Amino acid sequence: MALVGCGGFIGSHLLKAILERTRWRVFGVDLDPYRIQEHLANERLEFLCGDLAERSIVNRIAQYPVVVNLAAICTPSRYMSEAASVIRSNYDHPARLADACAKSGSWLIHFSTSEIYGKTSADSGLLDEDTSEITLGPVPASRWSYATAKLLTERYLFALENLRWTIVRPFNFVGPYMDFMPGVDGEGIPRVLANFSAALVRGEPMKLVDGGLAKRSFTSVHDAVDFMFCLFENDSQGVGQVFNVGNPHNELTIAELANKMRKVFAEIKGVDESLVPLPEVVDGALYYGRGYEDSLRRMPSVQKAERLLGFKALTPLDCALKESLSWFVDHYQIVAE
Ligand code: UDP
């Protein structure tokens, strides 16, 4: 199989699991192999440093019967500052790959995003893959550049004749190797768990955007990997379907997340919680830049993955948080000191 974005947060976990649990050969493509160093010598991995901007790479990828595409710019602050690149990376490139897969007959498993559900309100109910209405913000609100491009890609896959496709919509995956630490191995504002972890490691207050009232349900990346194996084993059920991958039991507000993370951090470091800085409230447009808007609740319906693939995310939030934050502390502690 081909794994595009095999060096990213989700891709690195999926690659590891495939190499450990199967005998499959993998053609892995990424711009940066830093998260997958340990696998580069594995004879079942052929790694190519590159991306979907190169047509020759797209054609090579489409020679494989199964293609998983995880490549994307998905750093929230870049949705405002680099909207054009975000759109190219999340529409032009995957559309080109989809064309090549339609021609070669490959099964394309495309990672989209739960962000395509758009500007959901605080009282929005379960988000369903096939029936939920979608409202994105106005064009000057560039926050929606990413969601718009991802949604157009979904529509393109759906519309292409002769393409065998499956779309995956992740709901706030968390785990080791998530994103980056700003100023150390990346720039901009990473997603909330990595950004809060970075603040805790630096001894700085976590920033609660617009009061931290928005809700998210977080999903362990290990559950996401298990979902992929359920999909691989049930391809006849999965082709032509969109799947939410999320854990509705792990919902909380971002302010509640910050409080939980303070506690977990104090436990990991063996210090009193009162020594960990309290979070502080920031204005979304000032923090992220003009054009930032938010979705206030993102709660997945997960019935379809259970019904068609027998998949259910099982990892409780506390376990996922502990694992992610412990990893972050170990990985970046020396850098921060
Ligand atoms: N957020 C926050 N502080 C941060 C980073 C994010 O309060 O340092 C909020 C953000 O405004 C949103 C939620 O946390 O309400 C989740 O943001 P994230 O960037 O992780 O991704 P999203 O779920 O919005 O795609």
Side-chain angles (χ1 to χ4, degrees):
M1 73 158 55
L3 196 50
V4 187
C6 67
F9 161 51
I10 305 168
S12 59
H13 286 278
L14 184 57
L15 177 66
K16 184 177 167 61
I18 289 172
L19 293 174
E20 283 174 3
R21 295 188 205 173
T22 75
R23 301 297 306 155
W24 303 342
R25 305 189 78 81
V26 180
F27 176 51
V29 178
D30 208 298
L31 288 169
D32 182 358
Y34 123 83
R35 293 181 177 87
I36 56 167
Q37 292 295 338
E38 61 179 307
H39 308 303
L40 292 179
N42 190 313
E43 57 171 25
R44 285 187 292 122
L45 171 67
E46 183 188 350
F47 177 73
L48 179 74
C49 190
D51 75 3
L52 298 174
E54 287 175 58
R55 275 182 198 279
S56 59
I57 295 183
V58 172
N59 291 336
R60 261 184 87 181
I61 293 166
Q63 299 311 307
Y64 289 79
V66 180
V67 173
V68 179
N69 183 19
L70 287 141
I73 295 181
C74 51
T75 302
S77 56
R78 295 176 72 183
Y79 307 165
M80 276 71 65
S81 61
E82 296 170 54
S85 308
V86 167
I87 291 167
R88 273 194 288 277
S89 141
N90 287 294
Y91 176 69
D92 290 8
H93 297 177
R96 197 178 287 168
L97 180 62
D99 286 334
C101 289
K103 219 171 180 181
S104 65
S106 308
W107 175 24
L108 175 61
I109 304 172
H110 176 74
F111 270 71
S112 184
T113 173
S114 54
E115 182 138 336
I116 65 100
Y117 290 107
K119 204 173 164 181
T120 47
S121 62
D123 60 358
S124 61
L126 289 181
L127 298 169
D128 180 87
E129 294 95 331
D130 301 314
T131 60
S132 284
E133 298 291 341
I134 293 170
T135 304
L136 300 172
V139 170
S142 293
R143 154 66 192 255
W144 306 109
S145 57
Y146 173 69
T148 304
K150 285 281 199 194
L151 184 59
L152 185 57
T153 299
E154 289 201 18
R155 291 195 185 280
Y156 189 65
L157 266 52
F158 192 88
L160 264 188
E161 278 172 30
N162 301 326
L163 178 68
R164 297 176 75 231
W165 58 268
T166 301
I167 289 167
V168 181
R169 294 182 185 155
F171 278 71
N172 293 80
F173 292 174
V174 296
Y177 280 114
M178 184 178 177
D179 292 356
F180 55 88
M181 179 144 171
V184 175
D185 54 356
E187 295 305 329
I189 303 171
R191 283 166 294 186
V192 66
L193 198 108
N195 211 29
F196 281 1
S197 303
L200 288 165
V201 166
R202 291 199 157 114
E204 294 169 0
M206 291 170 276
K207 302 283 195 286
L208 294 180
V209 171
D210 299 328
L213 302 177
K215 287 181 177 170
R216 294 292 187 272
S217 48
F218 293 89
T219 311
S220 163
V221 72
H222 305 303
D223 283 326
V225 167
D226 289 344
F227 166 85
M228 289 301 286
F229 279 88
C230 289
L231 180 61
F232 294 146
E233 284 155 18
N234 294 283
D235 57 331
S236 61
Q237 295 293 310
V239 170
Q241 296 290 345
V242 180
F243 291 102
N244 288 340
V245 178
N247 188 334
H249 301 292
N250 287 349
E251 188 186 41
L252 77 181
T253 66
I254 299 303
E256 288 164 345
L257 175 73
N259 282 334
K260 255 187 194 294
M261 288 184 69
R262 270 185 91 222
K263 283 198 179 63
V264 175
F265 184 73
E267 262 169 45
I268 292 170
K269 300 293 285 180
V271 298
D272 196 88
E273 201 185 316
S274 60
L275 296 173
V276 184
L278 283 167
E280 74 186 24
V281 170
V282 293
D283 177 272
L286 290 178
Y287 190 58
Y288 282 110
R290 245 185 45 210
Y292 182 74
E293 291 185 345
D294 207 353
S295 57
L296 295 181
R297 187 174 192 224
R298 236 186 241 162
M299 174 60 116
S301 157
V302 292
Q303 303 273 313
K304 194 180 359 174
E306 195 171 350
R307 182 166 44 86
L308 295 184
L309 308 177
F311 167 78
K312 205 173 175 176
L314 296 174
T315 312
L317 180 63
D318 286 351
C319 294
L321 280 187
K322 204 165 183 173
E323 188 201 13
S324 305
L325 190 49
S326 304
W327 177 86
F328 204 98
V329 169
D330 279 354
H331 192 74
Y332 291 106
Q333 192 66 66
I334 297 164
V335 181
E337 272 164 4

